[in-house]
Amino acid sequence: MNLHEYQAREILQRHGIPMPAAAVAASPEEARAIAARLGGGGKVVVKAQVHAGGRGKAGGVKLASGAAEAAAAATQILGMTIKGLPVHKVLVTPAAEIASESYVGIIVDRASQRPVLMVSPAGGIDIEQVAAQTPQQIYRLAIDPRFGLLPHQALGLGFKLYPGLGAARAAADIMQKLAAAVYAVGASLAEINPLVTTPDGAVVALDAKIVVDDNELERRPEIAALRDATAEAPSEVAARKAGLTFIKLEGTVGCCVNGAGLAMATMDLVKYYGGAPANFLDIGGSSNPQKVVDALAIITADPNVKAILFNIFGGITRCDDVANGIVQATSRFPLRVPLIVRLTGTNEREAVEILTKAGYSALTDMDEAVKQAVERAA
Amino acid sequence: MSIFINKETRLLIQGITGRDGSFHAKQMLSYGTKVVAGVTPGKGGQLFEGLVPVFNTVAEGVAEAAANTAVIYVPAAAAASAIFEAVDAGLGLVVCITEGIPVLDMTKVIPFVHERGARLIGPNCPGLISPSQSKVGIIPGNICTPGKIGVVSRSGTLTYEIIHQLSTQGFGQSTCVGIGGDPIIGTSFIHCLSAFEADAETEAVVMIGEIGGTDEQLAAEFVKGGMTKPVVGFIAGQTAPPGRRMGHAGAIISGSSGTAAEKMRALAAAGIGVMKRPADVVPLLKERL
């Protein structure tokens, strides 16, 4: 789960990481009041709060002189849609004077199977870009989860950012607090980009990004409560509530599959036969008709969908149960687009019979079913 | 022959009285797996299905029933602790089916597993099966047939799909291993490939990867450098958008890294037969055997 910048800032501030004052606004009037209160008539930055990278390039970050300009900037940004996501909030913060920019981040690294602290004196730009262009400018350290980030390790990296002891110590202190925050909220990624020095020598975090591991949310209700459903596609919110994993795509073949790997392979096969998948949807191991109804409701809400393809591998799940689920669901929920069902595995023959009787195209071969779905969606 | 499990496997089931644990315990028993013990704290002394003694702790189950392998069906909140317990009790093979373990918990589990010299398979995996010998996990026994093809996969139902293609076209399996869809897992492709290479019965290997991480690329390097047996591979997620978690916690393209295209190139460069779709598995194997 992605947190908004203002939410990530609050977490880092609570852990004692120095950051300039800031507040979040949902209207131009609020932005004006915050600019007047925090900016003291000087320059402020107004930043879109949206779960999309590259918001600066998209015009979602604006510099404003004074409260009136801040209100005007907020008016523009609050109406924007960045990468398909509407902006409902802006962060308003006094513009900092910057002497240098660096990067500090912690990710849970798959290769080393540990949290890895990464720092770079090349901050303020996308760290992937730094990794691609000047990889020697990135310093990495795998944190031993038994001991956490040790003080000498942090100080060593602090000196990679700043030659002077004062600033190196301040940066090391921030790294240790960032590591503590990672464990406190269950983050799979926490980034400060940029970490800046100001002309008076202070080290301050100007931005904050936190991604929380979805598997942490059950045991951290206070973090789960930070979810902003208005920042997500409505179909994905509905799917989450129904206990389905759904990701909307741009194609015309609606896909409903049991299992994530098979769901991806089905989407890939749609493309192989010249079609385009409208979604990823994993219905799980259940043959519960209610899940089938929920899945169909979500898929058919997308006006681009021209055909619906079920691909079910019955192992422990029995195909005839799933077939009955589909028949029950579609009698409650009439469809306006063709439905192609493929089932194979346990009790596939019974399942095909049930579906054929109900008037559906039922197959046992995956390639044949995908081909038909692509043709019917064309 | 087979890898990791065989007729000698003496299985202990953690969470044997739970909903999933009891269902799959019955499936494993009817498949012929030697299920020697179950563990559910507070239910020690009971007999599961009148057959399997239930213990309060894994250590008791190991001491009294001589279990050598554990399989875990406990809920996500207790699953990391269950892995620690099984490894601490001295079990050499621990298979964790549970999905949803926080990845930071896994960063603590892995060093402990390594220190004790145990093998962890999973978490978030369907387990493994050596057809007609032993089944540990949830892979449906009825789709498997004994034979000479090793199967290793990050997925569940997609693995079943490919096993089904193999079985119905006359290619039985030595062992099928589901290594799991999480970003941090105990056993990688390389561990399985090297075990299949050493297994006298296995003649060829099918590996089923997906987007996210670099495990498939590392496996390709291993195949190039050290494998004599033919390998064919599939990568799921060619149409997956970047930055989105595709069901499995580990199936995510981060920035421009971990794409299916990149992995398929690495496989092809290592001489692995790259399947464009699941139905390619048997034709590609036939070319190589």
Side-chain angles (χ1 to χ4, degrees), chain A residues 110 113 128 145-146 213 215-216 219 236 247 258-259 261-262 267-268 271-273 315-316 342 344 346 367, chain B residues 23 100-103 105 107 110 115 138 140 142 154 157 161 164 185 237-239 244-245 250 254-255 277:
Chain A
R110 303 166 73 131
Q113 304 194 313
E128 272 217 12
R146 290 167 297 186
D213 176 4
N215 292 346
E216 296 272 0
R219 67 180 178 190
E236 292 177 12
I247 292 166
N258 66 331
L262 190 59
M267 290 159 48
D268 296 349
K271 189 186 171 203
Y272 178 89
Y273 284 112
I316 286 142
R342 181 269 180 154
T344 196
T346 314
D367 285 66
Chain B
F23 177 81
I101 302 180
V103 71
D105 288 5
T107 66
I110 295 288
E115 259 167 36
I138 64 174
N142 60 338
R154 278 170 68 186
T157 47
E161 176 77 40
H164 183 70
I185 52 177
Q238 297 163 45
T239 48
R244 304 302 306 270
R245 172 172 140 160
S254 316
R277 51 187 180 134

Side-chain angles (χ1 to χ4, degrees), chain B residues 213-235:
Chain B
T214 54
D215 208 20
E216 291 84 353
Q217 292 89 317
L218 297 173
E221 275 170 41
F222 173 84
V223 169
K224 204 174 177 179
M227 232 168 128
T228 59
K229 296 176 184 178
V231 180
V232 306
F234 180 73
I235 303 292

